[in-house]
Each structure stands twice: as structure tokens, then as C-alpha cells.
Amino acid sequence: MVLGEAVAGVLLTAAAGPGWHIAACRLGIDGHSPTGPAPDGSVIATVIRSALADAGLHAADIGLLKPHAGGLDATAAAEAHALTAVFGSTQPRQLDFKAALGHTLGASGLAELGLLLATLDHPPSTARHALFNLIGFGGSIAALVLSRDRSHPTTAPGDEGTATETARITLELDSAELTHRARTALGAPVRRAGTLAELCLAGVDACLDATATEQGLARSTAVLFASRSGPRAAFHRVLEDLCLRNEDPMPFDFLATQAMLAALPLKHCLPELEAACYLPLTGDTELQWLRMTTLARAWLASGRHDRVLLGMVEPGQDKHHCEWRSLSAAAPSERPPSESRSQPRPWRR
């Protein structure tokens, strides 16, 4: 893998007009490894199929594919298996940017999206639909479908539907209490996990306990969490090790604090988890709650997920704080039960 540098920005608008539009976007979480997806590419394939279904398209409708193609053999093999599972032997034309640009890590999504849009328009492409794949650390997977028209249904701004808040949990724990709660939630020691991961495990587990009566009803769950910790704080610690203490930073310590890795253990104890998103907290917490709640309501209204767990997590020196809320698309009595979650959680001991 060769690293690159990039700065990119995209202006999104709800106004209709000519050109390319976001027809669908699906996120997924693969709990196989902190650094790569499952070798068979099954989760990648599921995310792609879900994005195509949201866009009302078939695999044969995709005229151009931008694969992740990050330069890692294991990830490339997993993505190849996924593309074969979705498209078969006849795959769409592929366009890869990392070979020329390098892997720009957190900037790669927007940077490559901008390049893809420029490529589609100059000269104009004959493709009407394009697929954009991303595979990141912590098992995060994204599939974006771009279309030239808006034949797919959309949710109008302000029409996010109704959602029921089924739980609100606040935890303040010292390090020993937090580790114990995280281990209880996972049913095993949390190995090489940062405090963010333990706070996510403890908070989600508390939400599930508070909503035990609806455990068999959620077929698809998403997690949204925000924190002032994460990559920025981890980078500062690395600089302190290098500049102030003259120490060599441990690479895995930096990796373990990456925000998306906090969601990785959740996949093992929350089988219906289909998406996990981290939002950096840089301003007012109430405004962040509003942003996350609005996004959660839109997901629930679209039928993408049955339940969304929202969290605000803050690691500290002596005490660690987190607040979690659970939103459901409808009251439990209004939704049919799911056989896969009708039994108590097997990992609880």
C-alpha cells in the first residue's frame, strides 16, 4: 500500500437538476479483523446488494465500478470475491484511482468521488449508473450508487417520519468498572481495544438491557456515536511520545484508538448490526445530538434500519462518561418479530 495526500470537499444539495445524483448509500460493518474484511467478501457483497436494492437497480444496470483497490492483497481478494458474487463473470468496467493517487486514508472517499465525477463528465460517460466501493479499518464498508436521474424514491427534507425513543442511558465509570462491563457485554476479554471500544460495548449493552422486550424485533441495527477522542487525540498522543517523552509510539496503540475500530467488537455481540458511523464532536453537544437524531430518523423512515443506537462517548483520566439513546422505527407491537433475535443474547454470562 502506497500512501498519498489529498484534500477534497463535496457540496450536497437536495435540489433537482441535471447531472449525477446519489441514488443510494449503504454502510456495513465486518467484524472479521481490525485491518481487513472477511476473506470471502460476504459482508462487502451484502452491502453492495443492499445499495443496489435501495437504488431500485440490478447488478447489470451498473455501467462503471470504482473498486476500493487499496493495494492490500487480502482486501483485494475479498473485494474480488464480493464482486464475483454480485456481478458474476460479467463485471462492469472498472476505474481505480489509488494506483495513481496513492491511498489517502481518511480523504480517499471524497477525493476519489470527486475524481470519479470528473471522469464521468469529461468526456461524458455512456454509463447511467456507477458503483463506488470503500473498505476501511475497523471493518467499515461503504457502497455508493450514483445515477444520472432521480428515478429512485427519495425522502423529502423534514419528512423523516416518526421514531420512538425506547431507552436513554448514562454511564460514568472508572477504568476497572468500564473494562468489567465491556468484558461482560462481549462475553470475553476485550483484547487490545481502546477506551472508545469499551465505552461503545458498555453503552450498547446497557441499551439492549433496557430494551430487552424488543430484542427479537430488530432485524437491522445501526450505531451512530460521537466523541472528542478518536484519531485527532491519538495523533496528539503519538506526538507527545515522540517529542516530549522521546519514546517510540506503538503502532497498534494508535490503530486501536481509531474511531471505527470502536465499533468492531459490537459486530460479535450484536449480530444484526449493519452500519456503524463515528462523528467527531467539535462543538455543542446538543447540536450533535440533533444531527445524529435527524440522521437516525431518516434511516428509520426509509426502512433501512429497524433500530438506531446513538452514543456520545468521552474517555477521561479517572472517569469515563457516555450517554446512549435507542430509537426504533415503531412501537414493538407494530413490527413482526425476527426469528434470529427471538432468543436471549447467547454471549451474556
Side-chain angles (χ1 to χ4, degrees), residues 173-208:
L173 308 166
D174 61 31
S175 296
E177 292 171 326
L178 178 59
T179 298
H180 174 72
R181 277 182 172 262
R183 176 171 182 165
T184 301
L186 193 60
V190 185
R191 296 184 177 180
R192 287 187 167 183
T195 307
L196 276 179
E198 293 184 331
L199 281 169
C200 284
L201 277 168
V204 167
D205 186 62
C207 273
L208 296 180

Side-chain angles (χ1 to χ4, degrees), residues 69-266:
L72 298 176
D73 291 342
T75 302
E79 186 175 26
H81 286 309
L83 295 177
T84 299
V86 173
F87 295 101
S89 58
T90 305
Q91 297 190 12
R93 186 162 55 96
Q94 298 188 17
L95 187 61
D96 167 30
F97 296 114
K98 289 186 178 69
L101 187 64
H103 198 317
T104 58
L105 300 179
S108 62
L110 286 184
E112 293 180 24
L113 177 59
L115 287 173
L116 177 61
L117 292 172
T119 302
L120 289 169
D121 288 334
H122 305 287
S125 170
T126 57
R128 293 185 61 245
H129 307 285
L131 176 66
F132 185 95
N133 279 355
L134 285 175
I135 305 168
F137 284 133
S140 55
I141 298 168
L144 183 72
V145 178
L146 302 172
S147 296
R148 283 191 184 275
D149 55 48
R150 281 199 169 181
S151 58
H152 61 286
T154 59
T155 301
D159 186 27
E160 291 86 5
T162 60
T164 303
E165 183 176 307
T166 55
R168 182 175 292 201
I169 302 294
T170 300
L171 299 175
E172 188 165 339
L173 308 166
D174 61 31
S175 296
E177 292 171 326
L178 178 59
T179 298
H180 174 72
R181 277 182 172 262
R183 176 171 182 165
T184 301
L186 193 60
V190 185
R191 296 184 177 180
R192 287 187 167 183
T195 307
L196 276 179
E198 293 184 331
L199 281 169
C200 284
L201 277 168
V204 167
D205 186 62
C207 273
L208 296 180
D209 280 345
T211 58
T213 57
E214 61 169 307
Q215 289 305 300
L217 301 174
R219 294 181 296 272
S220 171
T221 296
V223 171
L224 278 171
F225 68 101
S227 177
R228 288 188 173 87
S229 185
R232 180 182 301 175
F235 185 64
H236 287 170
R237 284 193 292 272
V238 170
L239 290 180
E240 288 178 0
D241 288 342
L242 287 172
C243 302
L244 300 182
R245 290 188 285 271
N246 197 28
E247 298 176 357
D248 292 330
M250 291 295 293
F252 198 93
D253 289 344
F254 176 75
L255 186 62
T257 58
Q258 298 303 294
M260 276 310 301
L261 288 182
L264 182 62
L266 296 177

Side-chain angles (χ1 to χ4, degrees), residues 30-101:
D30 187 328
H32 175 73
S33 164
T35 56
D40 63 1
S42 56
V43 180
I44 303 173
T46 298
V47 172
I48 294 174
R49 290 192 182 103
S50 297
L52 292 174
D54 284 353
L57 300 174
H58 300 287
D61 296 324
I62 299 298
L64 184 66
L65 166 67
K66 200 295 295 180
H68 177 73
L72 298 176
D73 291 342
T75 302
E79 186 175 26
H81 286 309
L83 295 177
T84 299
V86 173
F87 295 101
S89 58
T90 305
Q91 297 190 12
R93 186 162 55 96
Q94 298 188 17
L95 187 61
D96 167 30
F97 296 114
K98 289 186 178 69
L101 187 64

Side-chain angles (χ1 to χ4, degrees), residues 305-326:
H305 304 292
D306 302 304
R307 175 176 56 199
V308 181
L309 303 177
L310 309 176
M312 199 82 72
V313 297
E314 282 305 324
Q317 293 293 332
D318 301 318
K319 291 285 187 178
H320 310 289
H321 178 86
C322 67
E323 182 179 348
W324 286 84
R325 303 174 186 180
S326 175

